[in-house]
Amino acid sequence: MKKIEIGEYKKKDITIYIVLRILVIIILVIQLLRGNFENVFMCILTLILFLIPVFVDRKLNIKLPDVLEKIILLFIFSAEILGEVQNFYGIFKNWDTILHTMNGFLCAAIGFSMIDILNRSEKFHTKMKPIFVGLVAFCFSMTIGVLWEFFEYGMDNMFFTDMQKDRIVQSISSVELNPEKKNDPIVINNINKTVVYYTQKDGTRQELTIDGGYLDIGIKDTMKDLIVNFIGAIVYSFIGFFYIKGRDGYKFAEKFIPKRKTKQEIEETRLADMLWKKNKKKKRNKE
């Protein structure tokens, strides 16, 4: 068995994890001092989600390539901390689009790795062709994307959140506006503002003006999210397809393909953890 350089082993795996974790803890303390307990919960959730790569590596014995692991960690940080806590979703118009594209990519990676690992297992007798493995990865990613949109829709309708981000539009086309109730949509362009009349619980009538156009309730955001999820899934599925076709000949694809650890790698990981804990204990005793 080859010698394990424990310092290099740990540095390679957790450097970016430590940096992001420190940033999250700093933000958690700031939010706690400000009394923003919802953001405190998001920070705690982020710290828990950061353990996913460790769980996959140690418990499932699946080796995540460094590039893919960094993408996962940055995705979690960008979605929860930058997106929710720092309100990047509101500040940057395309922040949600970028993350949904990454989500499509990562979900395809999960679907692909599950099938590829089974495909290469001696216990799994049926071997799927590369095109079908790529197709399964794509379908898995799109299914997760659709289920997430179901979740957003449910939250908006049951708890009156705005996960399906509403958008101001300047044109609408609807058969509901047809005075004769025919299946012939009426198109309204160049909408400058919309006036909403509503009644509060105490019976008070109110008026709200939406400047700039008409308020679209979530549909554009939902379709945009599914389209970019589709793009991310397609990209990863093609990477996976060419990887299976060429295996060792496609070094670029290997940066994104999870693999099941060999028995030697599992033992090396176990020994590395033992040595790291032992060194850590020695340092504590010296202190």
Side-chain angles (χ1 to χ4, degrees):
M1 185 177 294
K2 64 181 180 180
K3 182 180 178 182
I4 300 171
E5 297 294 337
I6 191 66
E8 294 181 3
Y9 179 89
K10 298 304 294 184
K11 182 179 180 181
K12 180 182 178 182
D13 282 348
I14 67 173
T15 299
I16 190 170
Y17 167 76
I18 291 176
V19 171
L20 293 179
R21 189 179 179 88
I22 291 173
L23 290 175
V24 173
I25 292 174
I26 292 173
I27 295 172
L28 187 153
V29 173
I30 293 173
Q31 296 302 318
L32 187 61
L33 294 175
R34 292 177 178 176
N36 296 329
F37 298 109
E38 183 177 343
N39 288 342
V40 170
F41 169 77
M42 294 301 300
C43 291
I44 294 173
L45 176 62
T46 301
L47 293 175
I48 295 173
L49 292 175
F50 277 168
L51 297 175
I52 290 177
V54 178
F55 175 81
V56 170
D57 183 89
R58 298 302 194 267
K59 300 301 181 182
L60 301 182
N61 290 321
I62 295 175
K63 182 169 61 177
L64 294 176
D66 288 342
V67 173
L68 183 62
E69 183 173 342
K70 290 174 182 177
I71 291 175
I72 292 172
L73 294 174
L74 289 172
F75 174 79
I76 294 170
F77 183 80
S78 299
E80 303 299 334
I81 301 302
L82 298 181
E84 296 290 348
V85 178
Q86 301 299 322
N87 192 33
F88 273 34
Y89 289 124
I91 298 173
F92 299 102
K93 184 178 179 181
N94 295 319
W95 192 255
D96 185 57
T97 301
I98 295 171
L99 292 184
H100 272 279
T101 306
M102 289 178 63
N103 180 71
F105 186 89
L106 293 176
C107 286
I110 295 171
F112 176 88
S113 61
M114 290 191 300
I115 300 301
D116 187 49
I117 289 171
L118 288 175
N119 231 16
R120 300 171 69 178
S121 173
E122 296 178 357
K123 298 178 181 179
F124 195 68
H125 300 294
T126 303
K127 303 297 181 182
M128 297 179 66
K129 293 183 178 180
I131 185 66
F132 289 110
V133 177
L135 182 61
V136 169
F138 170 77
C139 292
F140 181 86
S141 177
M142 291 305 300
T143 299
I144 297 299
V146 170
L147 290 176
W148 178 255
E149 294 304 319
F150 286 170
F151 173 73
E152 288 189 348
Y153 174 79
M155 291 294 292
D156 288 353
N157 280 270
M158 290 187 290
F159 300 102
F160 298 101
T161 60
D162 188 22
M163 297 188 71
Q164 295 175 293
K165 296 295 185 287
D166 302 332
R167 292 171 177 264
I168 301 295
V169 296
Q170 284 71 47
S171 62
I172 57 175
S173 173
S174 175
V175 296
E176 288 293 326
L177 300 177
N178 192 312
E180 299 178 1
K181 301 300 179 182
K182 294 181 178 180
N183 191 27
D184 185 18
I186 300 297
V187 180
I188 302 178
N189 292 313
N190 303 316
I191 302 174
N192 297 316
K193 66 179 180 179
T194 307
V195 180
V196 179
Y197 299 95
Y198 63 99
T199 304
Q200 293 186 329
K201 292 182 179 179
D202 60 3
T204 306
R205 296 180 65 82
Q206 297 288 332
E207 176 183 316
L208 176 67
T209 300
I210 302 172
D211 292 319
Y214 173 79
L215 188 63
D216 171 76
I217 310 297
I219 184 63
K220 287 186 177 294
D221 177 78
T222 297
M223 295 310 300
K224 178 264 300 174
D225 290 346
L226 290 176
I227 290 171
V228 296
N229 191 104
F230 172 88
I231 294 172
I234 281 288
V235 170
Y236 190 94
S237 296
F238 271 106
I239 291 175
F241 170 78
F242 287 114
Y243 166 74
I244 294 178
K245 290 285 287 185
R247 289 295 179 189
D248 295 334
Y250 289 85
K251 297 297 182 182
F252 172 78
E254 288 184 350
K255 298 178 180 180
F256 305 97
I257 307 295
K259 300 177 183 177
R260 188 164 186 82
K261 289 183 178 180
T262 63
K263 291 182 179 180
Q264 180 178 336
E265 288 172 333
I266 294 173
E267 183 64 17
E268 287 176 357
T269 300
R270 187 183 68 82
L271 292 175
D273 286 340
M274 288 176 60
L275 289 172
W276 181 74
K277 290 177 181 179
K278 185 177 180 180
N279 292 337
K280 190 176 181 181
K281 187 176 181 180
K282 286 182 178 179
K283 289 181 180 180
R284 287 180 178 176
N285 292 334
K286 289 181 180 179
E287 293 175 356

